[in-house]
Amino acid sequence: MSASFQAISLSYQTAPIQVRESVAFNEEECRALLRLVQDCIPATDILVLSTCNRMEVYYQAEEDHSTRIIGLIALQKGISDKSMLVSYFKVMAENEEAMLHLFRVSMGLESQVMGDMHMANQVKRAYQHSADMGTAGPFLHRLMHTLFFTSKRVAQETGFRDGSASVSYATVELVRELTTTVCKPSVLVIGLGEIGSDIGRNLCKAAFGSVTVANRTLEKSLAFAEEYPVTVVEWDQLAEQIPLADVVISAVPGLQSFLTKAHLEKTSFLSPKYFIDLSIPRSIEPAIEEIAGVYLYNVDDIRNKASVALEKRKAAIPAVNQLMAEALAEFQGWANEMMVTPVIQEFKAALEQIRQQELKRYVKHLTEEENQRIELITKSIIQKILKLPVLQLKAACQRGEADQLSEGLRSLFNLEAPKEAVGV
């Protein structure tokens, strides 16, 4: 049986935020899960992708191990009832479905904000973890490089990357809507990771009244302030700064509810106070909305607000789909050939062994010139014998019949048992 590329996916499309945050992995946890899957499951080419909106595992195996992998995720996150998670995961057990899904995720076609360019970087980081941990084999290496090349073509040949349609841009659009009646609104951005930094940049470009930033590492805030007109506050000054801002944006994953109702209920708000929590796990306690005048938005509340850019991207989807289809067809051709390469090599080796054995019987008394002629003639005969079976094997790959023909050839010529090879 040939190995199949498979995937499991839990995302904003299948699970509420409470479930997503329960299985959100940081980079260290992703690496630990890679090792756990590698040690516990007979699979290769393993990739773990965890973002604020999705938790996915890709792997290559002869059987469906989705339930076992979900069990490992539950084990690592301390979830006692793995059955609670199973219904939220979409299982993709077929090559084409799993590969296309990975491409669509990387291109941003599956993002809450269509075309979100952060996804490509997150997929690259996930692949780097696989490469570093030794869980990426020839199949995944080739697939990922095909994906990156296709992403580059999408940027160069379509309008799908045009405009500023991203989570950070949509957040800025929401801030703009919330503060339409506020003269020179003040915004506090907590956390200067990839998303937080993008939001800070977009707020500055939009010329909001004032932008204040805070990061656990002060040096990062100061470096940001050297490029953009923002005010920097230290982390331990947040309690004083939050009441002064009209909008507070938190993008600090890993700090579960560092801002709680207890922190805020001592403060009396004379005007509406808006909080936007982009963290998974959430960093702002949902109960703060029980305080009068306080409104909370999370990642599920961020809608496609960059309408013009999004319309352009939607119009480019057919072109993106065509580029992905071309790339996957080319990759599938390579993968098909890799599947029959071992049996071709075995067949070639068997014929070469026969040729060598027969030559030893008859060339002992021939001259050097005669030996060279016979060498050329017999090698040419071997090549002609190989040509038709090789063509037939490659054609069988396209028809999905390579397994049967390969096994028939092995049985007919008593070839060696198949070695571990790239499967499809």
Side-chain angles (χ1 to χ4, degrees), residues 14-132:
T14 63
I17 189 170
Q18 295 88 343
V19 175
R20 298 204 306 276
E21 67 184 357
S22 72
V23 294
F25 281 57
N26 58 34
E27 293 192 2
E28 183 178 345
E29 290 172 324
C30 285
R31 288 191 289 269
L33 181 61
L34 278 170
R35 183 64 69 203
L36 198 58
V37 173
Q38 186 181 49
D39 291 344
C40 300
I41 291 175
T44 60
D45 299 286
I46 307 162
L47 180 82
V48 173
L49 176 65
S50 181
T51 74
C52 63
N53 278 326
R54 63 183 63 251
M55 173 63 201
E56 299 183 335
V57 178
Y58 298 83
Y59 64 99
Q60 190 175 55
E62 292 186 356
E63 299 179 2
D64 176 1
H65 297 291
S66 57
T67 302
R68 292 182 64 189
I69 294 175
I70 294 170
L72 294 177
I73 292 171
L75 176 66
Q76 191 168 339
K77 298 302 288 188
I79 300 172
S80 57
D81 183 13
K82 78 171 183 180
S83 61
M84 181 274 292
L85 290 179
V86 171
S87 62
Y88 293 109
F89 276 93
K90 178 181 179 181
V91 176
M92 290 159 275
E94 299 296 329
N95 291 304
E96 293 79 5
E97 184 182 14
M99 289 190 294
L100 180 59
H101 181 76
L102 178 57
F103 269 61
R104 288 181 59 84
V105 167
S106 183
M107 301 302 162
L109 286 165
E110 297 291 332
S111 299
Q112 272 188 316
V113 177
M114 186 180 297
D116 189 345
M117 289 180 285
H118 293 303
M119 280 311 308
N121 292 330
Q122 290 167 325
V123 170
K124 284 182 180 179
R125 281 198 293 272
Y127 171 51
Q128 187 63 57
H129 293 328
S130 295
D132 292 343

Side-chain angles (χ1 to χ4, degrees), residues 190-193 213-221 233-236 238 251-256 258:
I190 306 173
L192 289 175
V213 299
N215 195 69
R216 280 174 286 187
T217 304
L218 179 61
E219 289 76 13
K220 194 167 187 177
S221 297
V233 297
E234 296 191 32
W235 193 260
D236 56 10
L238 282 176
V252 282
L255 291 180
Q256 295 189 8
F258 84 96

Side-chain angles (χ1 to χ4, degrees), residues 175-188:
V175 172
R176 193 192 305 276
E177 290 183 12
L178 296 176
T179 59
T180 51
T181 60
V182 180
C183 180
K184 295 184 178 180
S186 60
V187 182
L188 171 62

